[in-house]
Amino acid sequence: MLIREAATDDWPAIWPFFHSIVAAGESFTYPTDLAEDQGRDWWLLPAPDRTVVAVDDSGAIVGTAKMNRNHLGNASHIASASYMVDPAHAGRGVGRALCEYTLEWARAAGYRAMQFNAVVETNVRAVKLYRALGFEVLGTLPEGFRHPTKGYVGLHIMHRAI
C-alpha cells in the first residue's frame, strides 16, 4: 500500500466511501446530508495542513486521512487527524497505516502531541486502534453523539504525546 498526497483529481474516488460513511451517521460529527462540494472543501486541506490517500497495488484509493493543527495560537503545537477507510477494505490495516503516517507527519512537522476531539465511543474498532498506537482517553462527553441506532453515546477526547 502506498500513502501519497491527495490531489483534487482523487476526490471522485474518495467521495463514494466518504459519502456512505458520513451518511451512515455512526462515526463522524458531520451532517449526514453533507453536500459533495462542502465535503471536498472540509476534507482536502491546503498546506500547511495535509490530506493523503492510501492506494492499493491496483491503484485504487482504499482510504484517506487529513492532518491539521488542532488549535490555534499558543496551542498550535497540538495536531489532529481524521481517517476514512473504504468499508470494502476494512480490516486490512489501512486505518493503522494512515494513523501511523499522520503521527510521523505530526512529529516531523514539530507538533508535540496529537489529539482527537470527537471519537464516538461505539466506534470500537477505531478506539481499539488508537489505544494500540498509544492514545489515551482523556475524557468522554456523555451523550455527546446521537448514534442512529444506539441513541445518545459518548464522545471520547483522545490524546497521545509525540
Side-chain angles (χ1 to χ4, degrees):
M1 175 175 30
L2 167 72
I3 296 177
R4 64 165 173 78
E5 191 82 25
T8 305
D9 293 347
D10 293 322
W11 184 249
I14 297 169
W15 172 247
F17 68 86
F18 179 101
H19 176 66
S20 68
I21 290 167
V22 170
E26 296 177 349
S27 55
F28 277 81
T29 60
Y30 295 167
T32 56
D33 61 350
L34 185 67
E36 183 175 359
D37 289 348
Q38 190 166 29
R40 183 188 61 238
D41 292 346
W42 286 2
W43 197 261
L44 298 179
L45 302 178
D49 300 326
R50 190 159 187 220
T51 303
V52 296
V53 291
V55 180
D56 71 9
D57 292 339
S58 73
I61 293 175
V62 296
T64 181
K66 67 174 186 151
M67 301 152 267
N68 50 278
R69 85 185 92 224
N70 196 8
H71 304 288
L72 300 174
N74 289 345
S76 64
H77 57 282
I78 308 298
S80 190
S82 297
Y83 315 94
M84 288 200 188
V85 175
D86 183 337
H89 298 277
R92 299 181 189 172
V94 177
R96 175 179 287 273
L98 287 167
C99 192
E100 289 172 344
Y101 185 95
T102 63
L103 287 165
E104 286 302 317
W105 169 84
R107 184 177 296 112
Y111 289 98
R112 296 178 50 93
M114 185 170 282
Q115 176 182 320
F116 303 144
N117 299 328
V119 180
V120 179
E121 70 181 350
T122 55
N123 189 352
V124 293
R125 290 177 76 176
V127 173
K128 181 179 177 182
L129 170 62
Y130 302 154
R131 285 183 186 274
L133 293 174
F135 285 85
E136 297 178 51
V137 175
L138 296 182
T140 303
L141 176 63
E143 297 187 350
F145 186 84
R146 187 173 40 86
H147 192 280
T149 60
K150 297 177 180 173
Y152 289 96
V153 299
L155 277 178
H156 293 320
I157 299 168
M158 298 188 77
H159 171 270
R160 178 194 154 159
I162 298 177

